[in-house]
Amino acid sequence: MPVEQSWLDAYTLWCQHPSRPYTGTLDNCISTTMAGRGPIIGWIDRNAQYQEIFSPRIGYPLLSIPLMALFGDREGLWIVSVAATAIGGLIMARIARLVGLGLFSATAVQVAFYVLPVSLPHGVALLAEAATLTSALVMALGLVHVFKGSTIRGTILVGAGLALVFFFKYSSTLLLSVSFLAVCLGLVLVKSYRQRRQVRLAVFVTAACAVVSLGVNRLFGFPGLSHSLQDTFTDHFRLPPVDDPYLRLLMLEGDFLWKFTLALPANAFYVLLFAAAVTGYVLALRSKLIGPEAWVVTGLSLYGVLSVVAHPVYSQAERLGSSLWVGASLGLGLLLAEVRSRRKARQAASVDVPATDSL
């Protein structure tokens, strides 16, 4: 298809199914967008510097194109996202079982993964988030196997997951690798974990992923943080480059933190859910219910936080930070397992207490 025709088709599709309210006619929407005055960012997408950020992200469109041809454009994109999210939930359930949770608690982890913001609405959106997250979960599953002693299987899964992340969203590879590495280094600081050979091996594996990510990005010349910051501060390269992107980033962090703090009361339910998840980790740690492998998925939560730190635009924070809820879903499962374990212990204790004779 000629390039101009492909842009026209894309604008037409959006104008037929706008993702935000638009009151004009279909023809007006298409014509004004093609002229660069439309209600969407599509015209700016044609900026070469802006396209550099997204052109290497080939995985989602490549998987979607056959399905789009069969079922329609929106449906084809949607099937890939939903399928990836469904697979991600299955991987979460498997990780929960490997961590040591029973079937009931592991199923609760899977359900939490599906209903928390990591999946709804972001996992089923027509974006590459779901496929990227599922690829990252393959990395997490591999690390869990490394911690459990299955070194070869685990390393293969970590490598396969990293390759898939490159396939779907190359810009996430380094940040993901650094997040997993930070978690493993944190475990090394714990005396009881430091003595385990598999923990030290996990540090080596995640460090290797970081080196590979950095090397591949450099080798292919993929845009990095500086390019992304210029995109943010030049309105998608429509304005001249700024001389102080990192200073502006620090200022933007403060602005974001202020808005985030003000919004906490309105999001009290999610704050309580997150607090419950943290409680689950704390109780499981105190009762020695979990080993070091349980902390692997917190690397994905850290990745969510770092993604927002690297791009603290409040309107995009919920989507960029959605992987925060991966660790939270396991934490909720741990809390449920702990509550069930304590209840069973109390019931067993009440049965064992001998009845006293009444006078």
Side-chain angles (χ1 to χ4, degrees):
M1 179 185 296
V3 173
E4 289 299 316
Q5 182 62 44
S6 67
W7 282 111
L8 177 59
D9 284 5
Y11 296 149
T12 303
L13 181 62
W14 188 91
C15 288
Q16 289 172 340
H17 308 279
S19 57
R20 60 175 184 254
Y22 179 69
T23 57
T25 65
L26 176 63
D27 290 340
N28 177 260
C29 176
I30 296 172
S31 61
T32 55
T33 300
M34 286 297 291
R37 300 186 302 274
I40 58 173
I41 200 174
W43 181 262
I44 305 171
D45 290 346
R46 304 178 76 165
N47 182 308
Q49 290 173 291
Y50 188 65
Q51 288 188 47
E52 286 178 9
I53 297 174
F54 297 98
S55 295
R57 302 181 185 182
I58 61 174
Y60 184 47
L62 279 181
L63 288 184
S64 302
I65 285 171
L67 296 170
M68 292 164 73
L70 286 172
F71 303 106
D73 294 337
R74 288 173 58 83
E75 291 75 11
L77 291 165
W78 184 75
I79 289 171
V80 174
S81 295
V82 172
T85 299
I87 294 170
L90 293 173
I91 296 175
M92 277 301 300
R94 179 56 182 160
I95 289 175
R97 293 290 282 163
L98 289 171
V99 164
L101 295 184
L103 181 60
F104 183 82
S105 297
T107 302
V109 170
Q110 184 178 0
V111 172
F113 177 86
Y114 288 144
V115 300
L116 287 172
V118 65
S119 295
L120 296 174
H122 306 294
V124 296
L126 307 184
L127 295 168
E129 259 69 22
T132 303
L133 178 61
T134 300
S135 303
L137 282 169
V138 173
M139 292 181 67
L141 179 61
L143 278 177
V144 170
H145 278 294
V146 170
F147 278 118
K148 299 288 287 184
S150 301
T151 305
I152 296 178
R153 178 192 302 174
T155 304
I156 291 174
L157 283 172
V158 170
L162 183 64
L164 285 171
V165 177
F166 267 113
F167 183 58
F168 290 110
K169 193 178 179 183
Y170 72 91
S171 58
S172 294
T173 53
L174 183 58
L175 208 56
L176 269 169
S177 300
V178 169
S179 299
F180 284 130
L181 176 59
V183 170
C184 293
L185 287 174
L187 293 174
V188 171
L189 299 178
V190 180
K191 184 177 180 180
S192 58
Y193 292 158
R194 186 187 313 139
Q195 300 169 350
R196 303 190 185 189
R197 184 182 68 88
Q198 296 303 126
V199 173
R200 299 193 298 272
L201 180 60
V203 172
F204 174 79
V205 171
T206 51
C209 287
V211 172
V212 169
S213 299
L214 185 62
V216 172
N217 283 323
R218 290 280 180 87
L219 178 64
F220 288 96
F222 293 149
L225 179 60
S226 295
H227 193 98
S228 178
L229 290 180
Q230 290 293 346
D231 170 58
T232 299
F233 296 120
T234 60
D235 192 12
H236 305 297
F237 302 101
R238 290 193 297 183
L239 301 173
V242 298
D243 297 327
D244 54 348
Y246 291 98
L247 178 60
R248 289 173 184 245
L249 177 63
L250 288 176
M251 296 172 64
L252 198 58
E253 301 287 0
D255 178 72
F256 172 84
L257 186 60
W258 175 249
K259 291 180 180 177
F260 176 80
T261 304
L262 290 179
L264 285 177
N267 293 282
F269 175 70
Y270 287 111
V271 174
L272 291 174
L273 275 181
F274 186 77
V278 173
T279 302
Y281 276 100
V282 172
L283 293 178
L285 185 63
R286 290 180 60 183
S287 64
K288 298 182 179 180
L289 176 66
I290 59 175
E293 61 275 2
W295 297 97
V296 168
V297 291
T298 63
L300 281 164
S301 295
L302 178 60
Y303 162 70
V305 173
L306 294 179
S307 296
V308 175
V309 170
H311 193 71
V313 178
Y314 193 78
S315 62
Q316 300 297 315
E318 186 180 337
R319 174 181 62 85
L320 294 174
S322 61
S323 64
L324 171 76
W325 296 101
V326 175
S329 64
L330 183 60
L332 292 173
L334 291 171
L335 179 61
L336 178 61
E338 187 67 24
V339 169
R340 286 168 56 86
S341 176
R342 294 190 178 198
R343 180 186 300 172
K344 289 180 180 179
R346 285 197 300 269
Q347 291 174 347
S350 63
V351 171
D352 292 340
V353 174
T356 57
D357 294 333
S358 57
L359 295 178

